[in-house]
């Protein structure tokens, strides 16, 4: 079984903003923002509409990250790991 280390609290985002070099923070999976019920749907099903056509096959979870200073918003592919 593969799990996302960010979704499961095993890891934190350690990226710096490409614009101002400040800390980036995680705002969760991009698919959780699709509608009110998307956080409760099957993960493999929501990966089909996350904006990355290969995320399901590559075992990646697409997260939204944001800079704490300038507010820049980006997506980040998180590699899922065996549990």
């Amino acid at each position: 079984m593969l799990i996302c280390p960010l979704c499961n609290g095993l890891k934190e985002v350690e990226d710096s903003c490409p614009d101002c070099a400040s800390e980036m923070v995680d705002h969760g999976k991009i698919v959780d923002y699709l509608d009110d019920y998307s956080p409760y749907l099957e993960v493999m099903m929501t990966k089909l509409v996350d904006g990355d056509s290969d995320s399901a096959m590559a075992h990646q979870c697409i997260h939204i990250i944001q800079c704490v200073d300038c507010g820049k918003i980006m997506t980040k592919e998180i590699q899922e790991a065996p549990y």
Side-chain angles (χ1 to χ4, degrees):
M1 172 185 221
L2 296 174
I3 62 169
C4 173
L6 287 185
C7 289
N8 289 281
L10 302 173
K11 183 179 169 185
E12 292 184 9
V13 173
E14 297 175 356
D15 290 357
S16 298
C17 178
D19 291 347
C20 70
S22 294
E23 175 187 10
M24 301 289 281
V25 293
D26 178 37
H27 285 290
K29 297 182 297 185
I30 195 167
V31 294
D32 287 352
Y33 292 90
L34 294 176
D35 64 31
D36 293 341
Y37 295 101
S38 57
Y40 307 105
L41 297 174
E42 170 61 37
V43 172
M44 289 307 290
M45 183 179 77
T46 58
K47 283 186 178 190
L48 299 174
V49 294
D50 66 4
D52 183 346
S53 59
D54 296 326
S55 64
M57 295 301 293
H59 301 291
Q60 294 176 331
C61 188
I62 312 299
H63 278 249
I64 296 174
I65 59 174
Q66 184 175 22
C67 177
V68 296
D69 286 335
C70 72
K72 181 177 182 75
I73 298 173
M74 302 172 47
T75 59
K76 180 174 178 69
E77 297 86 11
I78 306 301
Q79 189 63 47
E80 295 175 337
Y83 172 71

